[in-house]
Amino acid sequence: GSGGLMTVDILLFSDRSNGSNNNNNNNKRVTPPSSPMVRQQKPQRDWNALQMEELQSSIIAPSLLQPPTIHPQPPSPTPPIPPPSSTDFDYVERTERDVLLGRGDRSTKNPGNIRYLKVKDNMQQRYLAATKEGKTPISQQLLDAVHGWGGRFLQLDNQTRRWYEIDDKRARKKCSQALRDINTPQARLAKRQKYSQRKVN
């Protein structure tokens, strides 16, 4: 009787305790075994790409560039035309047939000048009576007369003290000037007095 009941109660209690233990075990969260942490490595950047980025960052956009301010320079003054130098002349040796330009005994006593003045005196009245258009041919005739006897119109270079021949245009002007001058003793005296007053002033 009673012994059999105790046996049943013990079995039931053991089953209940086992069931509760099983329930407790089921309610527990099973933690999976921890695996060792693996450090993620950053991908290595290409060295050429880094240099390209630095180059692009250093380049200024063209829209940000401002054109430089240009200040206009004033025009340089035109240099004056220098007088002809001694190297521009073709020097010659004077002869007795040449007409020497200038004042003084060197010109008045030169045989070529004396001959030139005689021809000039013969043409002077015709020159003074001619019209303006008719005076130029007479001056050319006096120039041709000097060239006809082998003479030249020579100018002295004050730097080198040597003689050079002037061109025909200037020589013809000298002939016109001589034809206008009255070469009388009274005219020569008045000219000398006028020249002396210029030197004093």
Coordinates of all heavy atoms in Angstrom, one line a residue, residues 114-160:
I114 N 88.6 133.1 -109.1 CA 88.7 134.3 -110.0 C 88.1 134.1 -111.3 O 87.3 134.9 -111.9 CB 90.2 134.7 -110.1 CG1 90.8 135.0 -108.7 CG2 90.4 135.8 -111.1 CD1 92.3 135.3 -108.7
R115 N 88.3 132.9 -111.9 CA 87.7 132.6 -113.2 C 86.2 132.5 -113.1 O 85.5 133.0 -114.0 CB 88.3 131.3 -113.7 CG 88.0 131.0 -115.2 CD 88.7 129.7 -115.6 NE 88.4 129.4 -117.0 CZ 88.9 128.3 -117.6 NH1 89.8 127.5 -117.0 NH2 88.6 128.1 -118.8
Y116 N 85.7 131.9 -112.0 CA 84.3 131.8 -111.8 C 83.6 133.1 -111.7 O 82.5 133.3 -112.2 CB 84.1 130.9 -110.5 CG 82.8 130.9 -109.9 CD1 81.7 130.3 -110.5 CD2 82.5 131.6 -108.7 CE1 80.4 130.3 -109.9 CE2 81.3 131.6 -108.1 CZ 80.2 131.0 -108.7 OH 79.0 131.0 -108.1
L117 N 84.2 134.1 -111.0 CA 83.6 135.4 -110.8 C 83.6 136.2 -112.1 O 82.6 136.9 -112.3 CB 84.4 136.2 -109.7 CG 84.2 135.6 -108.3 CD1 85.1 136.5 -107.3 CD2 82.8 135.6 -107.8
K118 N 84.5 136.0 -113.0 CA 84.5 136.7 -114.3 C 83.3 136.2 -115.1 O 82.6 137.0 -115.8 CB 85.8 136.4 -115.0 CG 87.0 137.2 -114.4 CD 88.3 136.9 -115.2 CE 89.4 137.7 -114.7 NZ 90.7 137.5 -115.4
V119 N 83.1 134.9 -115.1 CA 82.0 134.3 -115.9 C 80.7 134.8 -115.3 O 79.7 135.1 -116.0 CB 82.1 132.8 -115.9 CG1 80.9 132.2 -116.7 CG2 83.3 132.3 -116.6
K120 N 80.6 134.8 -114.0 CA 79.4 135.3 -113.3 C 79.1 136.7 -113.6 O 77.9 137.1 -113.9 CB 79.6 135.1 -111.8 CG 78.4 135.5 -110.9 CD 78.4 136.9 -110.4 CE 79.5 137.3 -109.6 NZ 79.4 138.7 -109.1
D121 N 80.1 137.6 -113.7 CA 79.9 139.0 -114.0 C 79.3 139.1 -115.5 O 78.5 140.0 -115.7 CB 81.2 139.8 -113.9 CG 81.7 139.9 -112.5 OD1 80.8 139.8 -111.6 OD2 82.9 140.2 -112.3
N122 N 79.7 138.3 -116.4 CA 79.2 138.3 -117.7 C 77.7 137.9 -117.8 O 77.0 138.3 -118.7 CB 80.0 137.5 -118.7 CG 81.5 138.0 -118.8 OD1 81.7 139.2 -118.7 ND2 82.4 137.1 -119.1
M123 N 77.3 137.1 -116.9 CA 75.9 136.6 -116.9 C 75.0 137.4 -116.0 O 73.8 137.2 -116.0 CB 75.9 135.1 -116.4 CG 76.6 134.2 -117.4 SD 76.4 132.5 -116.7 CE 77.2 131.5 -118.0
Q124 N 75.5 138.3 -115.2 CA 74.7 138.8 -114.1 C 73.6 139.7 -114.6 O 72.5 139.7 -114.1 CB 75.6 139.6 -113.1 CG 74.9 140.0 -111.8 CD 75.9 140.5 -110.8 OE1 76.9 141.1 -111.1 NE2 75.6 140.2 -109.5
Q125 N 73.9 140.6 -115.5 CA 72.8 141.5 -116.0 C 71.7 140.7 -116.6 O 70.5 141.0 -116.4 CB 73.4 142.5 -117.0 CG 74.4 143.5 -116.5 CD 73.8 144.3 -115.4 OE1 72.6 144.7 -115.5 NE2 74.5 144.7 -114.3
R126 N 72.0 139.7 -117.3 CA 70.9 138.8 -117.9 C 70.1 138.1 -116.8 O 68.9 137.9 -116.9 CB 71.6 137.8 -118.9 CG 70.6 137.0 -119.7 CD 71.2 136.4 -120.9 NE 72.5 135.7 -120.6 CZ 72.5 134.4 -120.4 NH1 71.4 133.7 -120.4 NH2 73.7 133.8 -120.1
Y127 N 70.8 137.7 -115.8 CA 70.2 137.0 -114.7 C 69.2 138.0 -113.9 O 68.1 137.6 -113.6 CB 71.2 136.5 -113.7 CG 70.6 135.8 -112.5 CD1 70.3 134.4 -112.5 CD2 70.4 136.5 -111.3 CE1 69.7 133.8 -111.4 CE2 69.9 135.8 -110.2 CZ 69.5 134.5 -110.2 OH 69.0 133.9 -109.1
L128 N 69.7 139.2 -113.6 CA 68.8 140.1 -112.9 C 67.6 140.6 -113.7 O 66.6 140.9 -113.1 CB 69.7 141.4 -112.5 CG 70.9 141.1 -111.5 CD1 71.7 142.3 -111.3 CD2 70.3 140.5 -110.2
A129 N 67.7 140.6 -115.0 CA 66.6 141.0 -115.8 C 65.6 139.9 -116.1 O 64.5 140.1 -116.6 CB 67.1 141.6 -117.2
A130 N 66.0 138.6 -115.8 CA 65.2 137.5 -116.2 C 64.0 137.3 -115.1 O 64.1 137.9 -114.0 CB 66.0 136.2 -116.2
T131 N 63.0 136.6 -115.5 CA 61.9 136.3 -114.6 C 62.4 135.2 -113.6 O 63.5 134.7 -113.8 CB 60.7 135.8 -115.4 OG1 61.1 134.6 -116.1 CG2 60.2 136.9 -116.4
K132 N 61.5 134.9 -112.7 CA 61.8 133.9 -111.7 C 62.1 132.6 -112.4 O 63.0 131.8 -112.0 CB 60.7 133.8 -110.7 CG 61.0 132.8 -109.6 CD 59.9 132.8 -108.5 CE 60.2 131.8 -107.4 NZ 59.1 131.8 -106.4
E133 N 61.2 132.2 -113.4 CA 61.4 131.0 -114.1 C 62.6 131.0 -115.0 O 63.2 129.9 -115.2 CB 60.2 130.7 -114.9 CG 58.9 130.4 -114.1 CD 58.2 131.6 -113.6 OE1 58.7 132.7 -114.0 OE2 57.3 131.5 -112.7
G134 N 63.1 132.2 -115.4 CA 64.2 132.2 -116.3 C 65.5 132.3 -115.6 O 66.6 132.2 -116.2
K135 N 65.5 132.5 -114.3 CA 66.8 132.6 -113.5 C 67.5 131.3 -113.3 O 68.7 131.2 -113.4 CB 66.5 133.3 -112.2 CG 66.1 134.7 -112.2 CD 65.9 135.3 -110.9 CE 65.4 136.7 -110.9 NZ 66.3 137.7 -111.5
T136 N 66.7 130.2 -113.1 CA 67.2 128.9 -112.9 C 68.1 128.4 -114.0 O 69.2 127.9 -113.8 CB 66.1 127.9 -112.6 OG1 65.4 128.3 -111.4 CG2 66.7 126.5 -112.3
P137 N 67.7 128.5 -115.3 CA 68.6 128.1 -116.4 C 69.9 128.8 -116.5 O 70.9 128.2 -116.8 CB 67.7 128.3 -117.6 CG 66.3 128.3 -117.2 CD 66.3 128.9 -115.8
I138 N 69.9 130.1 -116.1 CA 71.1 130.9 -116.1 C 72.0 130.4 -115.0 O 73.3 130.3 -115.3 CB 70.8 132.4 -116.0 CG1 69.9 132.9 -117.1 CG2 72.1 133.2 -115.9 CD1 69.5 134.3 -117.0
S139 N 71.5 130.1 -113.9 CA 72.3 129.5 -112.8 C 72.9 128.2 -113.2 O 74.1 127.9 -112.9 CB 71.5 129.3 -111.5 OG 71.0 130.6 -111.1
Q140 N 72.1 127.4 -113.9 CA 72.7 126.1 -114.4 C 73.8 126.3 -115.5 O 74.7 125.5 -115.5 CB 71.5 125.3 -115.0 CG 71.9 123.9 -115.5 CD 72.3 123.0 -114.3 OE1 71.7 123.0 -113.3 NE2 73.4 122.3 -114.5
Q141 N 73.7 127.4 -116.3 CA 74.7 127.7 -117.2 C 76.0 128.0 -116.6 O 77.1 127.6 -117.0 CB 74.3 128.8 -118.2 CG 73.2 128.5 -119.1 CD 72.7 129.7 -119.9 OE1 73.3 130.7 -119.9 NE2 71.6 129.5 -120.7
L142 N 76.0 128.7 -115.4 CA 77.2 129.1 -114.7 C 77.8 127.8 -114.1 O 79.0 127.6 -114.1 CB 76.9 130.1 -113.6 CG 78.0 130.6 -112.8 CD1 79.2 131.1 -113.6 CD2 77.5 131.6 -111.7
L143 N 77.0 126.9 -113.6 CA 77.5 125.7 -113.0 C 78.1 124.8 -114.1 O 79.2 124.2 -113.9 CB 76.3 124.9 -112.4 CG 76.6 123.5 -111.9 CD1 77.6 123.5 -110.8 CD2 75.3 122.9 -111.4
D144 N 77.5 124.8 -115.3 CA 78.0 124.0 -116.4 C 79.4 124.6 -116.9 O 80.2 123.8 -117.3 CB 77.0 123.9 -117.6 CG 75.8 123.2 -117.2 OD1 75.8 122.3 -116.2 OD2 74.7 123.4 -117.8
A145 N 79.5 125.9 -116.8 CA 80.8 126.5 -117.2 C 81.9 126.0 -116.3 O 83.0 125.7 -116.8 CB 80.6 128.0 -117.2
V146 N 81.7 126.0 -115.0 CA 82.7 125.5 -114.1 C 83.1 124.1 -114.4 O 84.3 123.7 -114.5 CB 82.3 125.7 -112.7 CG1 83.3 125.1 -111.7 CG2 82.1 127.2 -112.4
H147 N 82.1 123.2 -114.6 CA 82.3 121.8 -114.9 C 83.0 121.7 -116.2 O 83.7 120.7 -116.5 CB 81.0 121.0 -114.9 CG 80.4 120.8 -113.5 ND1 79.1 120.4 -113.3 CD2 81.0 121.0 -112.3 CE1 78.9 120.3 -112.0 NE2 80.0 120.7 -111.3
G148 N 82.7 122.6 -117.1 CA 83.3 122.5 -118.5 C 84.8 122.7 -118.5 O 85.5 122.0 -119.3
W149 N 85.4 123.5 -117.6 CA 86.9 123.6 -117.5 C 87.5 122.6 -116.5 O 88.7 122.7 -116.2 CB 87.3 125.0 -117.3 CG 87.0 125.6 -115.9 CD1 87.5 125.2 -114.7 CD2 86.2 126.7 -115.6 NE1 87.1 126.0 -113.7 CE2 86.3 126.9 -114.2 CE3 85.4 127.6 -116.4 CZ2 85.6 128.0 -113.6 CZ3 84.7 128.7 -115.7 CH2 84.8 128.8 -114.3
G150 N 86.7 121.7 -116.0 CA 87.2 120.7 -115.1 C 87.2 121.1 -113.6 O 87.9 120.5 -112.8
G151 N 86.4 122.1 -113.3 CA 86.3 122.6 -112.0 C 85.2 121.9 -111.1 O 84.3 121.3 -111.7
R152 N 85.3 122.0 -109.8 CA 84.3 121.5 -108.9 C 84.0 122.6 -107.8 O 84.8 123.4 -107.6 CB 84.8 120.2 -108.2 CG 85.1 119.1 -109.2 CD 86.0 118.0 -108.5 NE 87.3 118.6 -108.1 CZ 88.3 117.8 -107.6 NH1 88.1 116.5 -107.3 NH2 89.4 118.4 -107.2
F153 N 82.9 122.4 -107.2 CA 82.6 123.3 -106.0 C 82.9 122.5 -104.8 O 82.3 121.5 -104.5 CB 81.1 123.7 -106.1 CG 80.7 124.7 -107.1 CD1 80.5 124.3 -108.4 CD2 80.6 126.0 -106.8 CE1 80.2 125.2 -109.4 CE2 80.3 126.9 -107.8 CZ 80.1 126.5 -109.1
L154 N 83.9 123.0 -104.0 CA 84.5 122.3 -102.9 C 84.1 123.0 -101.6 O 84.2 124.3 -101.5 CB 86.0 122.1 -103.0 CG 86.5 121.4 -104.3 CD1 88.0 121.2 -104.2 CD2 85.8 120.1 -104.5
Q155 N 83.8 122.2 -100.6 CA 83.5 122.7 -99.2 C 84.5 122.1 -98.3 O 84.9 121.0 -98.4 CB 82.1 122.3 -98.8 CG 81.7 122.8 -97.4 CD 81.5 124.3 -97.3 OE1 80.8 124.8 -98.1 NE2 82.2 124.9 -96.4
L156 N 85.0 122.9 -97.3 CA 86.0 122.5 -96.3 C 85.3 121.9 -95.1 O 84.4 122.5 -94.6 CB 86.8 123.7 -95.9 CG 88.0 123.4 -94.9 CD1 89.0 122.5 -95.5 CD2 88.6 124.6 -94.3
D157 N 85.7 120.7 -94.8 CA 85.3 120.0 -93.5 C 86.0 120.6 -92.4 O 87.2 120.4 -92.3 CB 85.4 118.5 -93.7 CG 84.9 117.7 -92.5 OD1 84.3 118.4 -91.6 OD2 85.0 116.5 -92.4
N158 N 85.3 121.2 -91.5 CA 86.0 121.9 -90.3 C 86.6 120.9 -89.3 O 87.5 121.3 -88.6 CB 85.1 122.8 -89.6 CG 84.6 124.0 -90.5 OD1 85.4 124.5 -91.3 ND2 83.4 124.4 -90.3
Q159 N 86.1 119.7 -89.3 CA 86.7 118.7 -88.4 C 88.0 118.1 -88.9 O 89.0 118.0 -88.1 CB 85.7 117.6 -88.2 CG 84.4 118.0 -87.5 CD 83.4 116.9 -87.2 OE1 83.7 115.7 -87.6 NE2 82.3 117.2 -86.6
T160 N 88.0 117.8 -90.1 CA 89.2 117.1 -90.7 C 90.1 118.1 -91.5 O 91.2 117.8 -91.8 CB 88.8 116.0 -91.6 OG1 88.0 116.5 -92.7 CG2 88.0 114.9 -90.8

